[in-house]
Structure formats: structure tokens, C-alpha cells
């Protein structure tokens, strides 16, 4: 391991410097020359067909009488924002009213706009605050949009390019909360807003009064208005770091902190306050374990009561991954060994107890049931007005379906109405899904999903099979089953096995699973991933020559540690939009916001353990390494493209088998359009097929 702090490749951190971009273009040309095969073109076309399919489920949100959707396809590369009615949406061919054509706007203004969403004003639903990004970066602009004339409002609220947002601050539509770059001192060292202003129509943003200011070293701040009739209120939040935040009630210009642990997540719905804990909380003579969900009337809480109802307590195999309010109920989504189950919790009307019951979908009388080893998710359609839910189900081999689920006031299922289903984009005959558990270095049981051919005498003869192992392991984000036409067409249908590892650092078992791999314990995530790789080999599914690995962002850091720590296990690695230089990560773009996850490399004591998982410093030019493909984006303003650039340069100088491609657009997602996404995806699969096997 090298721990030298000198860096001969620092010049590659100049994101748009001409010398650095010349270097990028040269490597891009080599990558396309090496990977631009006939098979690559076939996969690119097949993936693009999936992404552009007009048969995809148009995901919608209800705002007033309309259902809103943002849609991309071959005719709308950058997309259209549109709306329809419930009556029309229920048909096989809904009629859409186009509100904003982003392709036309991009052409008119000569800017590669990427849609970042919209906030529709309640309860009039006649205005919206539309966010657009240049090239897919996190930084974006906001413009006020008239939903009646379907035009931007002349002289309306406008926010210049920055990380941040505008949000409606009341129902009049004449006031917004602004948290954005307003000049020197208004942004944190992580590159996010430090101040919140209350901005009235007809005044200058620079003159808008400041309602809150965090510290320069904070992660970010923000504010929002609760529009619930009878419970209107303003909330301000301050994030010091990931997992360390304060939420305040803003009343008559005064801030009152909601007095819960800084690592907890409070949420207000009508008269209720819920608190989701990350750490144990000792209060009022009781100790509530981390991962629990608590509830109390907000008025009682403000009066000093801490007599919480305990709605959920984690076990050794379960974790809370979602809590969704409807008008009368709180629906919990619990993972049990990475399998969903739903519960309905109904608050008392008086001083009684909360009522809990399983959400039994079989009582709907439709014969519907969730397939085994699939992801089931719910979200309120209108949490203020109804007890209706969107129900989404998706599995590795089961196309995503969308239904409307209605509960009665007792919490029982009244109706389950199937609405839409994604088509089958690949042939699943002969394929099945399994769940296995590997044993990590410290004895921890680590689950993983395996998708591939049903075991038979025929395929036993052709093993080891080309196998792609994917993982993330960070920020309490779980990896769950999901249908992917791209994975199906480019990997599974061509004879590959696809594996998703549920390693520590993620959220598959709640906060404890995440916290087990923070900072000095980061190595546990990498040991877990290696344990899954070894289990696949031990079970005879594959061997190191036919085992590939793929991950992006924090998962790219995971890949970097496979390259430098476990090269003997893999035949090829795809490392996407990665963190790799952990000595300087906190000084590059949004990196300072992740010190709660990885530690502070500027602290000598913390650098001692950080350098043990910094691939840029762990790299040994004399050690054997598997073939690697690095991909990133010039427009990624979250994870600096310099990470991938510098690691590529380091490994290339050592004569390693490394390939590099950098998309000029794309942001942290790596692509700004479906065409770009298909191209980047096909590059990765072609690289893997070339190194792991042919099909």
C-alpha cells in the first residue's frame, strides 16, 4: 500500500480543463474502438428499446383532479411533463395533456435541459415550481410555471443555477422559501445551501429576509410548508451531516426545535408526530431501541409528554423501510430477511391504543398475490384526503405492476384495482430466483439474491457460468429485487447469472446494518461482498475467471476495494461514477457531506483507518488486478470525475488491463437521456462479456 500524499495526477481534477478533456476524449475513443462490437450494438439497441418503450408504466402523482407524469421515449428524448384524468388513466391508451416539452425547450434555449421535477401549488393547482438541470448535474434552476397557459410566468419566481430549491411557502402563491446560492457565505463547504429566505413576489431574492442560517460546516438547510387543511405550518430543517439533523417549527418568525435525537427522523401528519430512531433513545424513564418507530400527539409532545406509542421495534431479521400516512392510517413496510410485509396502524380517536393489523391483500377478492422474493411498495395517493394507496410490485423476473389499493376506516382492504403492468422485456423461461446467505469474515450472515438458470443436468455441465455480482453497501440504502429489462436482455437472456449482495452499510436490516460498516468498520462491507463472491464459487455457480462485479458511486468505492483488496476473486470489474481517492474526497464537490459515512481524512487519526479503504492509495502496481472498466460523467457534480480519471491513470501507467469512458453529460446518474443510458449500459455489458465469456 502506498500512503504518499503527493499526487502526480491532480491535474485530472480540472473537470473541464482542455488538457484533462483531451485525455478523456482519447480514452473514450479507445474504449469505443475496443467495445463497439456488433454485440455491443445489439445490446445498445435492445436496452434502448426497453428505455424508450411506450408500454412502460407511466408513473403518476395526483395533484387535485389530475394525475401528473414525466415521460421519455424515442420521440421525447429529454421528456415531456404531462397530465391526465383518473378516467383516462384507467384505459389502455390514456389521453395526455402536455404541459412542458423539455426537448423543445432545450432546442429553443440551446441548453441540454434535464427534468428535475416540479412542485404544484395547493390548493389552487394553477402554478408550479419547475426544476431543470443543465446536463443532468445536481445543480439546477427553478422557474415558475403557469398550469393554465402552460407557459413560464413572465417575471415569476426564478432561481439561478445552484444546488438548492424553491418551495411554496403558503397557498397564496406569492411567497416561496428559497434555499440556494445568494452570494458569498450562503453555501456550505459541501456545496449545498446554508441559508433559508422567505421570498415574496415582486421583491429581489437578495432582499428577502433570512429565516434561518446554518453553519458553513453543515451539510445543508431547507424549509417547507405543510398544506394540510387545519394543520398548516412551516418547517425548517438543518442537516449538520448525514444522520445528524434538527427540524424546527417556524411560528411568527420564531423557531422551535422538535426535541428528538439529532439522528432521528421526525414526521408530522395532522395531529400526530412520529419519530423513527436510528439510535437507542432513553427518555422519560424508558429506552427505545434504534430502528423503532414511535408516535405521539404533537400537542401532547409540545406540552412536555414523552409517553410514546411504540408502533414498530426491530428484531434480528427485520427492519422498517417505509412508513406511509393515509387520511386515517399509517401503513408500515417491514423487511424480514429482505422480504416485504405490510402492516396497517390506526391511531385512536381518543385516548385509546393504536390498532395494528397485517395488510392482507388476499381479502380484496381479486386472487392477487405478491410473487415470492419480490419487492412490494406502497405510497399514499393523497394522504390528506383519502385512504387510497399506490401499490407497486416488482421482481427480478416479474415485470412491475401498479395497482390502486383502498382501505376503509378500520384499515381493511376495500378494493384492489389493478391499473398498469410493464411488459415482459425478456424471456424468463428456464430462469428462477433464489436467496442465499454467505458467512462473512466475522461470522455475520449476509443475504444475497441469485437470478439465473434453473439447476439441471444440462447447465451443470456448462458451469462455471458467467456471473455478475452487484452491490452498494452504504448510506442505509437497501438493495431490493427489481425488474430490469436491461439486465434481462443484456445479461440473463444471454446465459449469465445475476447476483445482488445485501452487504452491511446498506439498510436491509435497518440502522444497525448500516452502522456496522461506518468509518473504521468500513472493511466489513468489503468483507461481506467478498464472502458472497466466495460463496458463489464454493457453491459451484461460477469461478473467479467467470465472476464479474459492478457498482457505482459508493458502490464504485466498493469496486475499488475489490480491485485492490480481493483481485483473486474476480475476472472483471465495472467501476461506475466512483469514489476512489479517499484522501481528497472531502475536498472534491459534495464530498465533505459524507464524512459521517467514511470519516474525515484531514484528521490524522481518522486517516489511519480511511487509507485502508482508499483504493487510490491501496493500489500496488506489482500486484495482479482483474480487468477494469471505469465510467463516469463530466457533469457529475456530486462525485468528482477526478476519482475515476486518476485511478485510470494510475493503473494504466502500471500496465494494467483498464478501459475508461466518460460521458460528457449525465450528472451522477451517468446519463442525461435514454440513448446515453443505453450506450453506457451496453459498454459495461460488452466489457463483461469480453472478459468473462461469450454469448
Amino acid at each position: 500500500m502506498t500512503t504518499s500524499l503527493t499526487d502526480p495526477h491532480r491535474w485530472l481534477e480540472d473537470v473541464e480543463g482542455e488538457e484533462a478533456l483531451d485525455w478523456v476524449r482519447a480514452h473514450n475513443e479507445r474504449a469505443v474502438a475496443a467495445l463497439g462490437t456488433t454485440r455491443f450494438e445489439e445490446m445498445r439497441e435492445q436496452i434502448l428499446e426497453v428505455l424508450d418503450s411506450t408500454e412502460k408504466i407511466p408513473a403518476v402523482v395526483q395533484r387535485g383532479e389530475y394525475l401528473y407524469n414525466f415521460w421519455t421515449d424515442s420521440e421525447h428524448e429529454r421528456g415531456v411533463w404531462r397530465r391526465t384524468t383518473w378516467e383516462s388513466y384507467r384505459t389502455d391508451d390514456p389521453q395526455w395533456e402536455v404541459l412542458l416539452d423539455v426537448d423543445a425547450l432545450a432546442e429553443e434555449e440551446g441548453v441540454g435541459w434535464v427534468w428535475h421535477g416540479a412542485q404544484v401549488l395547493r390548493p389552487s393547482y394553477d402554478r408550479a415550481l419547475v426544476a431543470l438541470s443543465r446536463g443532468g448535474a445536481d445543480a439546477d434552476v427553478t422557474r415558475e410555471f403557469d398550469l393554465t397557459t402552460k407557459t413560464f410566468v413572465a417575471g415569476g419566481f426564478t432561481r439561478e443555477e445552484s444546488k438548492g430549491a424553491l418551495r411554496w411557502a403558503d397557498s397564496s402563491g406569492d411567497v416561496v422559501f428559497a434555499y440556494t446560492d445568494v452570494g458569498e457565505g450562503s453555501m456550505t463547504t459541501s456545496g449545498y445551501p446554508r441559508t433559508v429566505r422567505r421570498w415574496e413576489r415582486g421583491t429581489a431574492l437578495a432582499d428577502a429576509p433570512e429565516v434561518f442560517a446554518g453553519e458553513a460546516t453543515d451539510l445543508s438547510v431547507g424549509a417547507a410548508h405543510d398544506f394540510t387543511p387545519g394543520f398548516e405550518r412551516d418547517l425548517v430543517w438543518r442537516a449538520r451531516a448525514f444522520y445528524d439533523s434538527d427540524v424546527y417549527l417556524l411560528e411568527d418568525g420564531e423557531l422551535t426545535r422538535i426535541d428528538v435525537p439529532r439522528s432521528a427522523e421526525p414526521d408530522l401528519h395532522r395531529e400526530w408526530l412520529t419519530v423513527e430512531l436510528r439510535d437507542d433513545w432513553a427518555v422519560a424513564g424508558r429506552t427505545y431501541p434504534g430502528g423503532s418507530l414511535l408516535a405521539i400527539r404533537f400537542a401532547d409532545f409540545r406540552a412536555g409528554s414523552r409517553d410514546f406509542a411504540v408502533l414498530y421495534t426491530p428484531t434480528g431479521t427485520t427492519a422498517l423501510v417505509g412508513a406511509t400516512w393515509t387520511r386515517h392510517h399509517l401503513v408500515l413496510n417491514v423487511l424480514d430477511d429482505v422480504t416485504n410485509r405490510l402492516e396497517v396502524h390506526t391511531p385512536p380517536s381518543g385516548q385509546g391504543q393504536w390498532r395494528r393489523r397485517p395488510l392482507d391483500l388476499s381479502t380484496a377478492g381479486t386472487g392477487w398475490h405478491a410473487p415470492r422474493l419480490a419487492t412490494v411498495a406502497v405510497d399514499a395517493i393523497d394522504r390528506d384526503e383519502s385512504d387510497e394507496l399506490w401499490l407497486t410490485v416488482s421482481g427480478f423476473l416479474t415485470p412491475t405492476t401498479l395497482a390502486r389499493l383502498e382501505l376503509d376506516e378500520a384499515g381493511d382492504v376495500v378494493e384492489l384495482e389493478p391499473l398498469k403492468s410493464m411488459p415482459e422485456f425478456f424471456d424468463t423461461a428456464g430462469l428462477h430466483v433464489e436467496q442465499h446467505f454467505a458467512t462473512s469474515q466475522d461470522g455475520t450472515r449476509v443475504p444475497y439474491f441469485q437470478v439465473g438458470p434453473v439447476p439441471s443436468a444440462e447447465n451443470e455441465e456448462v458451469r462455471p457460468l458467467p456471473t455478475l455480482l452487484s452491490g452498494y453497501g452504504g448510506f442505509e440504502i437497501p438493495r431490493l429485487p427489481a425488474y430490469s429489462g436491461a439486465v434481462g436482455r443484456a445479461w440473463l437472456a444471454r446465459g449469465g447469472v445475476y447476483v445482488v449482495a445485501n452487504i452491511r452499510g446498506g439498510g436491509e436490516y435497518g440502522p444497525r446494518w448500516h452502522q456496522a460498516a461506518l468509518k473504521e468498520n468500513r472493511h466489513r462491507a468489503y468483507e461481506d461482498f467478498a464472502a458472497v463472491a466466495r460463496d458463489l464459487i464454493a457453491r459451484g455457480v461460477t469461478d473467479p475467471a467467470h465472476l464479474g462485479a459492478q457498482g457505482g458511486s459508493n458502490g464504485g468505492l466498493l469496486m475499488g476495494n475489490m480491485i485492490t483488496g480481493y483481485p483473486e476473486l474476480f475476472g472483471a470489474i465495472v467501476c461506475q461514477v466512483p469514489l476512489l481517492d479517499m484522501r481528497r474526497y472531502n475536498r472534491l464537490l459534495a464530498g465533505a457531506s459524507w464524512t459521517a459515512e467514511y470519516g474525515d481524512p484531514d484528521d490524522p487519526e481518522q486517516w489511519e483507518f480511511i487509507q485502508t479503504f482508499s483504493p487510490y492509495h491501496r493500489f500496488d502496481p506489482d500486484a495482479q488486478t482483474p480487468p477494469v472498466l471505469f465510467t463516469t460523467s463530466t457533469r457529475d457534480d456530486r462525485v468528482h470525475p477526478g476519482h475515476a480519471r486518476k485511478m485510470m491513470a494510475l493503473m494504466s501507467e502500471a500496465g494494467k488491463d483498464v478501459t475508461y469512458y466518460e460521458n460528457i453529460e449525465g450528472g451522477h446518474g451517468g446519463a442525461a437521456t435514454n440513448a446515453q443510458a443505453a450506450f453506457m449500459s451496453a459498454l459495461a455489458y460488452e466489457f463483461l462479456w469480453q472478459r468473462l465469456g461469450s454469448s
Side-chain angles (χ1 to χ4, degrees):
M1 178 192 299
T2 176
T3 58
S4 172
L5 300 186
T6 60
D7 186 356
H9 306 299
R10 180 81 63 85
W11 63 277
L12 288 169
E13 293 178 7
D14 185 3
V15 176
E16 295 184 333
E18 197 56 41
E19 186 178 3
L21 286 178
D22 284 344
W23 181 93
V24 167
R25 294 184 190 103
H27 281 291
N28 284 358
E29 289 177 5
R30 295 190 193 104
V32 172
L35 301 176
T37 63
T38 300
R39 179 173 53 195
F40 160 81
E41 283 297 331
E42 290 174 354
M43 289 189 292
R44 184 189 65 77
E45 290 175 4
Q46 290 173 349
I47 295 169
L48 184 58
E49 185 179 30
V50 170
L51 299 178
D52 278 345
S53 171
T54 58
E55 297 182 72
K56 295 176 298 185
I57 297 175
V60 291
V61 294
Q62 180 175 311
R63 298 292 182 263
E65 62 182 305
Y66 290 106
L67 298 176
Y68 289 77
N69 163 260
F70 185 75
W71 181 261
T72 59
D73 59 27
S74 59
E75 296 181 8
H76 309 95
E77 183 178 60
R78 296 184 180 273
V80 290
W81 188 37
R82 59 189 190 171
R83 66 187 179 187
T84 191
T85 63
W86 267 105
E87 181 181 10
S88 184
Y89 188 70
R90 286 185 166 101
T91 68
D92 292 336
D93 186 22
Q95 299 304 299
W96 297 95
E97 176 189 4
V98 174
L99 302 170
L100 178 64
D101 185 328
V102 180
D103 292 274
L105 182 68
E107 183 176 356
E108 176 187 343
E109 299 186 349
V111 178
W113 291 123
V114 174
W115 177 258
H116 266 199
Q119 186 196 10
V120 178
L121 178 65
R122 295 177 58 186
S124 63
Y125 304 105
D126 60 348
R127 296 288 177 96
L129 296 171
V130 170
L132 298 163
S133 161
R134 182 169 54 89
D138 284 356
D140 53 20
V141 303
T142 304
R143 298 178 184 177
E144 186 178 1
F145 191 82
D146 188 318
L147 289 167
T148 303
T149 64
K150 293 180 277 191
T151 59
F152 288 110
V153 177
F157 289 113
T158 301
R159 182 178 65 90
E160 299 302 323
E161 186 177 50
S162 167
K163 293 183 181 180
L166 298 183
R167 296 179 70 93
W168 297 115
D170 66 21
S171 59
S172 72
D174 289 327
V175 187
V176 297
F177 286 121
Y179 39 107
T180 190
D181 189 346
V182 291
E184 185 176 354
S186 64
M187 304 295 279
T188 68
T189 53
S190 296
Y192 295 96
R194 187 185 68 83
T195 66
V196 176
R197 294 170 180 248
R198 188 178 179 87
W199 184 17
E200 295 189 11
R201 187 180 300 280
T203 66
L205 176 57
D207 297 331
E210 189 177 276
V211 298
F212 182 78
E215 300 296 327
T217 53
D218 287 348
L219 169 55
S220 65
V221 301
H225 180 74
D226 184 345
F227 287 88
T228 305
F231 297 91
E232 294 88 349
R233 52 201 160 201
D234 293 329
L235 298 169
V236 174
W237 59 88
R238 172 195 183 189
R240 293 178 180 82
F242 279 93
Y243 336 116
D244 183 359
S245 300
D246 290 316
V247 179
Y248 301 89
L249 195 64
L250 176 62
E251 297 174 300
D252 300 323
E254 298 295 323
L255 291 167
T256 303
R257 182 179 178 273
I258 298 177
D259 188 20
V260 299
R262 284 169 31 180
S263 63
E265 291 189 15
D267 181 52
L268 291 170
H269 176 68
R270 304 185 71 84
E271 71 267 38
W272 292 98
L273 166 68
T274 59
V275 183
E276 186 174 353
L277 299 178
R278 282 197 177 91
D279 302 298
D280 293 354
W281 185 21
V283 63
R286 294 185 64 181
T287 298
Y288 304 98
S292 298
L293 182 68
L294 315 178
I296 191 172
R297 282 188 171 85
F298 191 42
D300 293 344
F301 180 85
R302 297 191 72 183
S305 173
R306 296 298 181 266
D307 185 16
F308 290 98
V310 180
L311 305 185
Y312 171 79
T313 302
T315 68
T317 63
T318 67
L320 181 66
V321 292
T324 300
W325 277 104
T326 67
R327 173 62 180 84
H328 297 100
H329 309 287
L330 181 61
V331 181
L332 305 190
N333 196 335
V334 176
L335 283 184
D336 192 343
D337 274 337
V338 207
T339 299
N340 299 92
R341 73 165 188 259
L342 303 174
E343 302 175 354
V344 181
H345 293 251
T346 305
S349 56
Q351 296 303 313
Q353 301 296 310
W354 283 68
R355 184 185 184 195
R356 172 187 175 274
R357 62 176 58 193
L359 179 49
D360 186 358
L361 300 173
S362 65
T363 62
T366 62
W368 186 93
H369 68 280
R372 181 175 172 270
L373 301 180
T375 297
V376 180
V378 292
D379 194 20
I381 293 176
D382 186 334
R383 73 183 216 160
D384 292 330
E385 301 295 336
S386 77
D387 290 311
E388 296 175 309
L389 295 149
W390 301 112
L391 173 68
T392 307
V393 179
S394 185
F396 291 110
L397 302 178
T398 309
T400 305
T401 59
L402 176 68
R404 184 187 65 86
L405 178 66
E406 184 178 354
L407 307 178
D408 61 20
E409 289 197 17
D412 294 320
V413 176
V414 176
E415 183 180 10
L416 194 160
E417 178 189 6
L419 292 170
K420 305 290 179 184
S421 180
M422 185 181 288
E424 293 186 356
F425 285 117
F426 61 98
D427 185 2
T428 60
L431 299 175
H432 76 150
V433 183
E434 304 171 357
Q435 186 182 41
H436 296 275
F437 292 83
T439 302
S440 195
Q441 186 169 316
D442 64 357
T444 298
R445 188 168 172 259
V446 181
Y448 66 93
F449 295 103
Q450 177 183 321
V451 191
V454 177
S456 66
E458 289 77 12
N459 63 42
E460 286 293 337
E461 294 176 2
V462 299
R463 290 193 178 195
L465 295 170
T467 301
L468 176 55
L469 173 59
S470 174
Y472 186 76
F475 297 94
E476 207 174 317
I477 297 172
R479 288 291 308 275
L480 305 177
Y483 188 78
S484 169
V487 172
R489 289 185 168 193
W491 193 255
L492 293 172
R494 292 173 176 267
V497 175
Y498 181 64
V499 180
V500 173
N502 303 118
I503 62 178
R504 281 175 286 185
E508 288 85 352
Y509 293 105
R512 68 177 180 87
W513 198 244
H514 170 237
Q515 293 164 4
L518 290 178
K519 296 183 177 180
E520 67 272 17
N521 295 319
R522 200 77 202 167
H523 60 91
R524 291 175 178 165
Y526 310 139
E527 291 167 359
D528 289 359
F529 196 79
V532 173
R534 292 192 181 101
D535 201 56
L536 289 166
I537 294 167
R539 291 178 44 243
V541 176
T542 191
D543 64 11
H546 294 85
L547 177 58
Q550 181 178 30
S553 191
N554 172 75
L557 176 60
L558 169 66
M559 294 302 104
N561 278 278
M562 294 303 104
I563 296 166
T564 55
Y566 302 91
E568 73 283 359
L569 295 177
F570 301 98
I573 289 178
V574 176
C575 185
Q576 299 161 305
V577 290
L579 286 90
L580 295 166
D581 179 356
M582 300 307 288
R583 183 67 184 86
R584 282 181 51 74
Y585 86 91
N586 62 322
R587 297 173 179 269
L588 300 173
L589 298 175
S593 64
W594 308 320
T595 56
E597 187 84 8
Y598 306 120
D600 182 359
D602 292 334
D603 179 338
E605 291 187 7
Q606 295 188 58
W607 171 242
E608 284 300 309
F609 65 75
I610 293 171
Q611 66 179 321
T612 67
F613 60 83
S614 179
Y616 193 59
H617 298 90
R618 292 188 68 186
F619 177 70
D620 180 353
D622 297 323
Q624 292 296 314
T625 59
V628 179
L629 170 65
F630 293 105
T631 66
T632 188
S633 166
T634 310
R635 289 294 296 156
D636 188 346
D637 56 352
R638 191 180 312 173
V639 176
H640 199 291
H643 287 278
R645 292 177 180 181
K646 295 196 300 180
M647 194 71 176
M648 173 65 189
L650 190 66
M651 293 184 67
S652 182
E653 287 177 353
K656 304 303 181 183
D657 181 355
V658 282
T659 307
Y660 183 92
Y661 191 89
E662 179 175 321
N663 190 21
I664 303 302
E665 277 196 315
H668 190 53
T673 66
N674 288 346
Q676 291 176 15
F679 179 90
M680 298 295 285
S681 185
L683 274 183
Y685 288 118
E686 175 58 25
F687 172 82
L688 290 165
W689 280 120
Q690 285 189 15
R691 300 313 196 274
L692 303 179
S694 59
S695 178

